[in-house]
Amino acid sequence: MPPRPPSEVHEKTPTVLFPSSTAAAQALAQEVKTLMEENTRTGRPTVLGLATGSTPVPFYRELIRLHREEKLSFQNVVTFNLDEYYGLPADHPESYARFMREQLFDHIDIPAENINIPSGTIPSDQVFAHCKAYEDKIHAVGGIDLQILGIGRTGHIGFNEPGSSRDSLTRRITLDRVTRQDAASDFRGEQNVPHFAITMGVGTILRARQLVLMAWGENKAAITARAIEGAVSEAVSASFLQDHPNARFFIDTGASRELTRIKLPWLVGPASWTPAETRRAVVWQALKTSRPVLKLIDEDYNEHGLSDLLSEQGPGYQLNIRIFNRLQHTITGWPGGKPDADDTFRPERAKPYPKRCLILSPEPQDAIVGMGGTLDRLIEQGHDVRLIALTSGSLRVPDSEADKFASTLAELGSAVVTPAEWKEQTQYANTILRILDEKGEFGEDPPALRQLKALILRGELRDAAHTLGLTSDRVHLLDLPFYEKGRYRRFHSTPDDLAALVSLLAQHKPHQIYCTGDAADPSSVAGITFRLLETALRQSEGEDWAATCSLWSYRGKEKPLEAHEIDMAVPLSPLQLERKTRSLARYNSLSTLELSIADQNRQHAKDYDALGLAEYEAIEAFQRRSRP
Ligand code: F6R
């Protein structure tokens, strides 16, 4: 391999950065194609190790395209999947066997006998023999040529949770709590996620001749950097790739955010001191030394590798003042702009007042999580606020909620009215109860059940919005079709989704749009809706309203913004934070990440305080995506 540039000195496993997951997937698929063609020429099969989850989906789509459009044949390919949930039959909607069929195997010409996936239903007393046979089979075909990997937030590869040893082989393991939380939406609640899985071991994986680990989105940034730059340790299985002679990480911009060359570039080479980079360096230094910005001295700059920043933009005190002022100007209690005030240094312009504010929530709870306090302020300050739930969120609602609703309805029938008067309602309730009964714990939700779950979430959303003073006529439901027709980790957006967004924008002609998902995994609901919004805005470019519309992004369950990235900081009083928390309590099924949002809001306030700015209870943070 060619020597790597000094900026990558901290990266112990070679890492390739791509502008998007699509670009990375295309590059990898080309490599696989070349490998397959070479092997076919020499009369060898190509043995691929495959992963599931959302990460490899764009790669599989590209392989399918190569098969369809460039006649790439998989007749000569043998595959071994990394893992399977223990307890799930192969036709279960969330089994990895079914995932692989739907995402790849049904669309290419691979012979069925060449596909290998651990069994999720092997009886307990045969698990050991099954795992051994899996290892033997990999060995018998000559080992894996190329193993594809994703990474879990625990740093797992396959399902090798923290504590898995370097030499571990295929075996049954217990899933980590974090992994089960991450799978909760797939299974409509953490309680439904299997506790066990069968997985190839770290040792099995490392025996592959070549490894490529892919990671997308900011939520993977911290663990990816730890695996690439941190110590090799059983605490992070993916760190073992550092010991492999031919392993690489393929990551997108979001997942690269915590690498030293991106996060602290001045430590590994000459930095280009753009305003954003300068802000990052000064804020980093202040937080690291626990010194407010205005108290940083030239020695601090020198000791932290920032002497060239000082010589370019110093003296230190002037630089401190510049950055302090810039941070100070991000703070505003007037997210819609302060009417009749000088707005030269305010994040949002004063006019027009009031503004038409469109608050886009990918799933119904996202906007309240990410900007409940700001929403409260916008309403209080007289703006024309609309909250748009882009999808119904029905897939998040556990069966128990539908059961509770249908049982109450059925009982109401006999309690308050005569059975004849209540006939249709009782019939409806019984249909739902029957569906729940028949489909069992893991079955797919038929449309009637999805509809009821959507209604339940709708009720929660209206209720949560009321707590913030938003009346029902200002809460809109777009029910984008990609969500209604899809399932988590395998959504496909369509022209209908885009058309719905374009017409929403044309109808409301917003002065301000708030959205989330810019830093999310592109296959997540927030990631998909953000990309749809970008396209919709591009299509609306000629419209009058578009020229005067500002676009702000908030973070919900994604990695929070760091202090230097914030363009607008909206302080929340203790009372407002309490009101936000109360409105979130209206939701019955929030993830742990969503529930910890108040802590994130408090952390922003602590950081601002530590930088020497005013001390607030909590802050909601926004990044400017575009300005008029
Ligand atoms: C799946 C697997 C796991 C996933 C990881 C990331 O076969 O082995 O290690 O790669 O959990 O999952 P996603 O891609 O859904 O974020």
Side-chain angles (χ1 to χ4, degrees):
M1 256 180 238
R4 286 191 285 144
S7 60
E8 293 167 35
V9 25
H10 291 279
E11 293 162 27
K12 297 176 200 145
T13 305
T15 301
V16 192
L17 266 50
F18 291 90
S20 67
S21 57
T22 320
Q26 283 167 351
L28 182 57
Q30 278 305 322
E31 287 194 16
V32 171
K33 182 175 178 232
T34 310
L35 177 73
M36 283 164 59
E37 287 167 350
E38 267 168 30
N39 283 341
T40 306
R41 262 197 302 279
T42 54
R44 290 187 54 229
T46 300
V47 185
L48 297 178
L50 300 179
T52 53
S54 37
T55 308
V57 170
F59 166 65
Y60 294 151
R61 282 190 195 149
E62 182 60 12
L63 288 184
I64 296 169
R65 192 194 67 75
L66 289 174
H67 171 67
R68 288 194 182 142
E69 294 175 16
E70 300 184 20
K71 308 279 173 278
L72 180 67
S73 170
F74 291 78
Q75 285 288 338
N76 208 19
V77 170
V78 178
T79 63
F80 287 89
N81 261 84
L82 283 165
D83 41 20
E84 178 60 283
Y85 286 114
Y86 187 68
L88 300 195
D91 60 352
H92 184 284
E94 295 307 330
S95 81
Y96 284 168
R98 177 142 167 202
F99 177 97
M100 287 309 299
R101 279 203 307 278
E102 289 175 358
Q103 298 302 318
L104 181 65
F105 298 146
D106 282 353
H107 313 284
I108 56 174
D109 62 343
I110 186 166
E113 62 277 16
N114 289 8
I115 296 171
N116 300 281
I117 302 180
S119 162
T121 52
I122 195 86
S124 227
D125 59 350
Q126 293 167 35
V127 166
F128 180 78
H130 179 70
C131 294
K132 175 150 187 336
Y134 205 69
E135 292 280 335
D136 291 346
K137 198 159 180 195
I138 297 175
H139 185 69
V141 296
I144 291 173
D145 290 315
L146 169 63
Q147 174 68 56
I148 305 298
L149 298 165
I151 183 169
R153 278 199 303 133
T154 58
H156 70 214
I157 46 176
F159 272 139
N160 291 285
E161 299 292 17
S164 299
S165 82
R166 194 197 178 293
D167 300 317
S168 52
L169 297 178
T170 304
R171 68 205 187 287
R172 180 168 54 178
I173 52 98
T174 306
L175 294 175
D176 191 277
R177 176 90 203 273
V178 173
T179 301
R180 294 186 64 246
Q181 280 166 359
D182 284 348
S185 51
D186 306 351
F187 285 88
R188 291 181 296 276
E190 196 182 318
Q191 72 281 6
N192 296 327
V193 182
H195 285 266
F196 304 102
I198 295 193
T199 181
M200 279 187 197
V202 177
T204 326
I205 293 170
L206 292 181
R207 260 185 240 144
R209 283 181 277 283
Q210 209 190 134
L211 305 171
V212 174
L213 189 153
M214 296 181 279
W216 326 131
E218 274 196 8
N219 273 4
K220 295 279 174 77
I223 193 65
T224 303
R226 234 179 117 189
I228 297 171
E229 299 189 349
V232 177
S233 142
E234 286 180 2
V236 180
S237 297
S239 66
F240 286 116
L241 266 61
Q242 294 178 21
D243 289 345
H244 193 283
N246 195 356
R248 285 171 300 161
F249 278 70
F250 277 26
I251 62 179
D252 72 352
T253 313
S256 72
R257 297 291 298 266
E258 296 286 319
L259 291 179
T260 307
R261 67 166 133 153
I262 303 295
K263 195 179 162 132
L264 309 169
W266 54 88
L267 294 185
V268 287
S272 59
W273 293 114
T274 59
E277 217 54 353
T278 305
R279 201 157 68 234
R280 181 204 287 267
V282 175
V283 167
W284 167 76
Q285 193 193 173
L287 292 176
K288 190 166 163 49
T289 53
S290 305
R291 265 183 214 270
V293 171
L294 291 176
K295 285 193 180 173
L296 290 170
I297 50 176
D298 288 8
E299 280 76 0
D300 290 324
Y301 281 90
N302 292 334
E303 278 166 26
H304 290 90
L306 293 169
S307 49
D308 65 324
L309 171 62
L310 209 56
S311 56
E312 215 176 278
Q313 304 201 17
Y317 192 62
Q318 294 304 325
L319 178 55
N320 294 348
I321 291 177
R322 268 207 332 273
I323 298 298
F324 179 84
N325 285 341
R326 151 76 212 195
L327 292 167
Q328 176 71 30
H329 293 148
T330 62
I331 304 175
T332 181
W334 297 83
K338 187 169 186 181
D340 304 324
D342 173 7
D343 57 8
T344 320
F345 295 113
R346 289 179 175 274
E348 185 55 90
R349 64 213 190 277
K351 288 195 176 106
Y353 176 83
K355 289 194 174 60
R356 288 189 296 272
C357 308
L358 216 51
I359 297 176
L360 303 183
S361 191
E363 290 180 89
Q365 76 290 351
D366 289 326
I368 314 250
V369 171
M371 53 173 292
T374 304
L375 204 105
D376 197 7
R377 279 195 190 261
L378 288 168
I379 297 165
E380 200 182 85
Q381 291 165 4
H383 296 286
D384 174 3
V385 179
R386 308 268 165 177
L387 172 58
I388 319 282
L390 297 174
T391 68
S392 73
S394 63
L395 292 166
R396 301 171 55 92
V397 180
D399 286 353
S400 53
E401 289 296 304
D403 189 302
K404 191 164 71 186
F405 181 87
S407 306
T408 311
L409 195 62
E411 274 184 41
L412 251 178
S414 47
V416 299
V417 290
T418 62
E421 283 173 66
W422 200 254
K423 194 166 155 244
E424 274 156 30
Q425 287 87 335
T426 313
Q427 257 172 15
Y428 172 76
N430 287 334
T431 309
I432 297 292
L433 292 172
R434 203 192 55 244
I435 292 175
L436 285 168
D437 219 35
E438 283 170 1
K439 90 179 181 72
E441 206 179 356
F442 296 126
E444 242 169 313
D445 290 359
L449 184 55
R450 271 186 87 154
Q451 188 192 32
L452 173 60
K453 288 183 171 182
L455 288 175
I456 292 173
L457 216 52
R458 236 170 244 201
E460 290 181 355
L461 171 65
R462 267 195 298 266
D463 213 14
H466 278 173
T467 321
L468 298 174
L470 202 61
T471 49
S472 300
D473 57 319
R474 305 205 147 251
V475 179
H476 303 268
L477 308 150
L478 207 58
D479 287 347
L480 285 176
F482 84 88
Y483 185 92
E484 296 314 310
K485 291 190 195 126
R487 295 220 314 276
Y488 283 105
R489 301 192 201 229
R490 23 200 134 155
F491 294 118
H492 289 262
S493 62
T494 65
D496 290 347
D497 296 303
L498 186 59
L501 260 179
V502 171
S503 93
L504 176 90
L505 297 178
Q507 183 194 345
H508 291 285
K509 303 187 180 10
H511 299 112
Q512 270 195 328
I513 300 175
Y514 291 86
C515 64
T516 187
D518 45 340
D521 175 343
S523 68
S524 64
V525 177
I528 293 173
T529 50
F530 184 79
R531 276 150 194 85
L532 280 168
L533 173 66
E534 280 184 321
T535 318
L537 284 170
R538 270 199 302 278
Q539 283 199 8
S540 311
E541 248 159 33
E543 310 284 327
D544 284 355
W545 64 266
T548 58
C549 178
S550 54
L551 177 61
W552 292 100
S553 85
Y554 61 89
R555 298 285 168 90
K557 47 186 178 273
E558 307 303 326
K559 181 176 170 298
L561 289 172
E562 291 184 35
H564 68 272
E565 297 174 311
I566 298 174
D567 292 316
M568 177 159 75
V570 181
L572 307 188
S573 67
L575 244 168
Q576 277 171 322
L577 188 63
E578 196 193 305
R579 200 147 59 220
K580 172 175 174 175
T581 314
R582 231 182 319 125
S583 107
L584 280 171
R586 304 302 167 124
Y587 285 102
N588 272 315
S589 46
L590 291 183
S591 69
T592 335
L593 280 172
E594 289 161 341
L595 287 168
S596 64
I597 195 72
D599 297 338
Q600 273 183 30
N601 296 154
R602 285 199 193 92
Q603 187 57 47
H604 285 315
K606 279 189 195 136
D607 286 347
Y608 265 47
D609 181 28
L611 292 168
L613 299 151
E615 185 178 351
Y616 294 102
E617 171 73 8
I619 283 177
E620 282 177 347
F622 298 84
Q623 216 169 17
R624 189 196 313 282
R625 302 295 309 191
S626 72
R627 68 184 334 152

